[in-house]
Amino acid sequence: MEYKDIMHKTPVKHGLINYESTYKNFNWKDINRCFDHFSDNEVNIAHEAIDRHANNGYKNKIALHWEDEDNVKKQYTFSDIKRQSDKLANVLRNLGVEKGDRIFLFLPRVTELYISIIAIAKVGAIAGPMFSAFGPEAVKDRLHDSEAKVLITTPDLNQRVHEIKEELPALKHILLVNAEHNLKQDEISYESETNKASESFKIRWVDPEDDLFILYTSGTTGKPKGVTHVHNDMISHYITTKWALDLREDDVYWCTADPGWVTGTVYGIWGPWLNGISQVVYNGRYDAEKWYSIIEKYKVTVWYTAPTALRMLMKAGDEIIKKYDLSSLRYICSVGEPLNPEVIRWGLKVYNLPIHDNWWQTETGSIMIANYPSLPIKPGSMGKPFPGICAKIINTKGKEVATGKQGLLGLKRGWPSMLRKVWANKKKYNEYFKISGWYTTGDTAYVDDDGYFWFVGRADDVINTAGHRVGPFEVESALVEHKAIAEAGVIGIPDKERSEIIKAFVVLNKGYKPSPKLKKDIQGFIKKRLSAHAYPRKIEFTKDVPKTRSGKIMRRLLKARELGLPTGDLSTLEN
Ligand code: PRX
């Protein structure tokens, strides 16, 4: 029997051929059997994603095709990734990293990022990937809350860390990628240490319930929450990749997401490699021509991207598509924001393929609702629940609402990749489970007569801008740190390209006058301090921000006024 046959041993064949019967007969326990070393107390996702392939029939198979903006290219086989991650795992162990320690990554999509995430799992530590667009405030929030022990970054990005380091007493070491010289006392060169390290590493077996990664994400109130996932997630990662993304043995797969976002961690690292798939990483900004050239060059067959990117490609026009040979593509998926029917129709016309929308969240750890190759697409619908997932539209008491009626999107708790904790915040974790038996998603939706789910919106004030989840509170907090600003209220307003954009209503301190220059200055301040994703594209100077008598900003009212909607009950309004 060939390795690929062993890899794809029963009960899981390629593709989700019959949705209804698979959904009916599905049992998560059957999936454990697809792994090489899975028991109640001994697993490691890195073994399943890399080592078992490197030790067996995929050792010379390309795991990673990598390219950057300057056309620099690299290629790694599964054995290369094993060797490099074993070396780094030795470095980490020698630094005193132990099981459960938090290691944060503040890197662009360089190959070291991917290798680091594997190495961190190998030592049983917990990885915290962060966007390289983050400013010092966003980095500090994450490293402080998680009490990260090690940070892996570049000399460039490290400059943003200098100004906050004093406030991070738990941070012991900084590993710098591409920095051979001028290292400070607690800084270590990634290259020189890994070059010296042994290639032989004995993987740390962990319990399936041991923590694997933390991704911080926004809610309506407070700082971002450290959503924590465990090694057991691999069950969901493996099978959703196979069935919702339809990945097969010979595919070349490209997930355009950054690992700072859950899509980039789960479906840009774990999911494809658990399935032994060759994947492409492009380390660079969006550029229509570059993106098409990547598909052409690597003969990408499965492409996982997001609605804002697709809308930008649509805007870039159909003519440039003709310059590239995209005939390798066979399956396209999208996630993160509502996917307009118009984009699906356009995709059919220019790529000759439907775009399969799917829905999930940082907290769910894997795709929960999807369009599958074997089911007809209803443009605008997120599709149907993944086998093993019980999704329903419920009211606040947990009672199912009638077909066609809008309500809260709830998931019966207990699938393998459900978040296990909010780091150091039990209260926030419990908020997800206020309705007995259910995990509440914070989204509203409805289900139609055929069992397809349709996204309606958020039940809270969380903003979704180009797929980035932004909490209004974080932006408001950062805004009031600007010297000119006394008060701020932040909402999302609809935008054709980015789903929503951030709008801030700001009250100025005495002595400051509204001006286009001040607007620009405020925007630059937020970009630099918090994140390039989270700056308000629109700013309105105002005399006051509506608040409740208890002092909470009434974003609902700001939004209703902005969009000319009914303002609703204003009895708690203070001013
Ligand atoms: O509001 C939903 C929206 O993105 C939120 C989750 O964001 P995040 O945790 O960053 O993870 C996104 C990618 C896994 C959801 O609560 N969302 C996600 N997918 C869709 C979506 N909205 C509409 N349609 C989707 N397919």
Side-chain angles (χ1 to χ4, degrees):
M1 203 173 352
E2 280 192 53
Y3 181 63
K4 67 178 175 190
D5 300 321
I6 300 167
M7 265 290 298
H8 302 297
K9 65 190 168 199
T10 50
V12 179
K13 302 254 190 275
H14 298 300
L16 182 54
I17 292 148
N18 185 327
Y19 174 80
E20 305 299 338
S21 74
T22 308
Y23 189 88
K24 207 164 123 229
N25 301 316
F26 185 81
N27 186 340
W28 287 112
K29 286 219 155 33
D30 293 339
I31 309 303
N32 302 358
R33 280 191 268 145
C34 301
F35 298 118
D36 180 53
H37 193 116
F38 197 103
S39 72
D40 287 347
N41 53 9
E42 261 199 16
V43 299
N44 194 309
I45 191 171
H47 170 79
E48 305 300 334
I50 300 296
D51 292 5
R52 71 158 155 165
H53 306 313
N55 295 336
N56 290 297
Y58 286 177
K59 59 174 173 287
N60 296 323
K61 182 173 176 175
I62 302 293
L64 179 63
H65 298 277
W66 182 92
E67 181 167 334
D68 73 3
E69 279 182 332
D70 304 322
N71 295 322
V72 177
K73 298 177 189 63
K74 293 182 191 172
Q75 248 183 16
Y76 290 77
T77 61
F78 280 97
S79 338
D80 294 334
I81 304 259
K82 176 177 187 312
R83 195 168 45 254
Q84 299 290 342
S85 58
D86 280 342
K87 279 168 160 279
L88 182 61
N90 276 318
V91 173
L92 295 174
R93 199 173 266 176
N94 292 339
L95 285 176
V97 170
E98 288 171 10
K99 184 176 147 225
D101 283 343
R102 277 76 62 204
I103 304 188
F104 271 61
L105 302 135
F106 189 31
L107 291 169
R109 287 189 289 274
V110 289
T111 54
E112 290 83 353
L113 170 61
Y114 296 81
I115 288 160
S116 297
I117 288 181
I118 303 297
I120 292 166
K122 284 186 170 179
V123 295
I126 308 168
M130 299 187 289
F131 283 112
S132 56
F134 281 160
E137 194 71 23
V139 174
K140 187 186 82 189
D141 285 347
R142 286 155 178 81
L143 297 186
H144 191 268
D145 183 69
S146 64
E147 299 185 280
K149 189 171 184 176
V150 180
L151 176 69
I152 308 181
T153 187
T154 61
D156 235 19
L157 293 171
N158 195 27
Q159 287 176 17
R160 296 184 211 162
V161 181
H162 287 322
E163 56 187 275
I164 53 169
K165 226 166 85 203
E166 295 270 283
E167 296 169 74
L168 303 170
L171 186 63
K172 295 285 179 286
H173 307 286
I174 299 183
L175 266 176
L176 288 177
V177 174
N178 281 331
E180 297 289 335
H181 310 291
N182 302 329
L183 295 168
K184 296 209 179 68
Q185 205 189 5
D186 55 355
E187 294 172 352
I188 301 155
S189 155
Y190 180 105
E191 290 76 17
S192 44
E193 290 305 309
T194 45
N195 284 345
K196 283 189 287 196
S198 157
E199 281 183 11
S200 135
F201 181 79
K202 201 166 168 300
I203 202 161
R204 167 86 199 227
W205 298 114
V206 297
D207 188 283
E209 288 301 308
D210 279 329
D211 298 332
L212 172 68
F213 66 87
I214 308 181
L215 278 169
Y216 279 78
T217 194
S218 299
T220 310
T221 56
K223 298 264 190 198
K225 310 172 264 196
V227 170
T228 308
H229 284 280
V230 298
H231 282 252
N232 194 61
D233 274 40
M234 72 174 93
I235 300 169
S236 299
H237 295 172
Y238 172 82
I239 195 63
T240 53
T241 303
K242 198 181 278 301
W243 285 349
L245 304 182
D246 197 42
L247 282 177
R248 302 171 199 171
E249 155 77 9
D250 296 324
D251 275 318
V252 178
Y253 164 71
W254 183 28
C255 170
T256 60
D258 189 288
W261 192 37
V262 71
T263 309
T265 297
V266 173
Y267 296 106
I269 299 178
W270 297 121
W273 283 347
L274 284 166
N275 281 278
I277 300 291
S278 302
Q279 65 163 330
V280 177
V281 166
Y282 167 56
N283 179 29
R285 271 163 300 190
Y286 162 83
D287 174 274
E289 299 236 10
K290 183 77 195 187
W291 276 35
Y292 288 137
S293 78
I294 294 271
I295 295 175
E296 179 180 76
K297 195 176 314 165
Y298 296 99
K299 298 194 170 31
V300 171
T301 56
V302 178
W303 185 28
Y304 194 18
T305 188
T308 295
L310 289 163
R311 287 188 289 259
M312 281 156 74
L313 289 168
M314 193 165 125
K315 204 164 123 193
D318 302 358
E319 278 311 302
I320 62 165
I321 299 176
K322 294 183 188 141
K323 293 183 7 201
Y324 298 90
D325 177 5
L326 307 181
S327 60
S328 57
L329 279 176
R330 71 164 183 84
Y331 200 68
I332 309 178
C333 300
S334 159
V335 71
E337 312 152 60
L339 181 65
N340 341 47
E342 187 194 354
V343 178
I344 298 182
R345 284 193 290 270
W346 171 78
L348 267 176
K349 187 178 83 182
V350 296
Y351 305 132
N352 211 9
L353 290 169
I355 301 168
H356 298 81
D357 187 20
N358 52 59
W359 177 96
W360 59 295
Q361 303 178 301
T362 308
E363 293 87 339
T364 68
S366 64
I367 294 168
M368 297 282 108
I369 298 176
N371 288 284
Y372 310 93
S374 54
L375 283 183
I377 288 179
K378 292 193 185 189
S381 161
M382 309 186 285
K384 294 191 177 194
F386 194 82
I389 300 301
C390 173
K392 297 280 181 213
I393 307 300
I394 55 175
N395 64 19
T396 49
K397 298 201 166 60
K399 207 168 162 314
E400 222 179 297
V401 305
T403 303
K405 286 254 172 332
Q406 287 183 18
L408 304 171
L409 174 57
L411 306 168
K412 272 265 164 68
R413 61 186 295 176
W415 65 95
S417 66
M418 192 183 82
L419 79 162
R420 292 305 196 278
K421 61 175 91 133
V422 171
W423 192 263
N425 199 335
K426 187 96 181 111
K427 190 164 157 260
K428 284 271 179 207
Y429 178 77
N430 289 339
E431 282 173 11
Y432 290 108
F433 302 99
K434 272 194 194 143
I435 304 177
S436 173
W438 295 94
Y439 160 82
T440 45
T441 63
D443 283 357
T444 55
Y446 68 93
V447 64
D448 70 14
D449 287 335
D450 299 321
Y452 281 73
F453 283 69
W454 299 75
F455 180 81
V456 175
R458 286 290 303 185
D460 55 23
D461 294 330
V462 170
I463 301 163
N464 186 338
T465 178
H468 295 288
R469 213 164 122 177
V470 178
F473 176 79
E474 286 166 72
V475 187
E476 287 160 2
S477 308
L479 280 166
V480 294
E481 289 191 27
H482 188 282
K483 60 184 185 309
I485 299 177
E487 272 190 292
V490 164
I491 58 168
I493 58 171
D495 180 75
K496 252 190 125 208
E497 192 165 283
R498 299 169 179 269
S499 289
E500 287 187 299
I501 53 168
I502 300 172
K503 173 157 185 184
F505 296 83
V506 300
V507 180
L508 294 180
N509 278 320
K510 276 212 175 84
Y512 290 93
K513 283 209 168 64
S515 72
K517 187 168 169 286
L518 181 56
K519 256 187 210 178
K520 274 224 152 64
D521 187 69
I522 294 169
Q523 288 171 327
F525 177 81
I526 299 296
K527 267 193 214 170
K528 223 170 133 203
R529 197 176 174 83
L530 192 61
S531 164
H533 318 122
Y535 85 94
R537 283 174 187 262
K538 289 216 160 146
I539 294 180
E540 184 174 322
F541 297 106
T542 167
K543 288 216 155 30
D544 56 40
V545 176
K547 284 194 285 300
T548 62
R549 285 173 216 285
S550 58
K552 279 201 189 113
I553 292 164
M554 282 184 94
R555 303 191 190 99
R556 172 174 64 81
L557 180 56
L558 283 173
K559 199 154 181 167
R561 282 180 186 160
E562 175 74 23
L563 304 178
L565 300 171
T567 49
D569 176 17
L570 296 181
S571 55
T572 57
L573 184 67
E574 177 207 49
N575 38 354

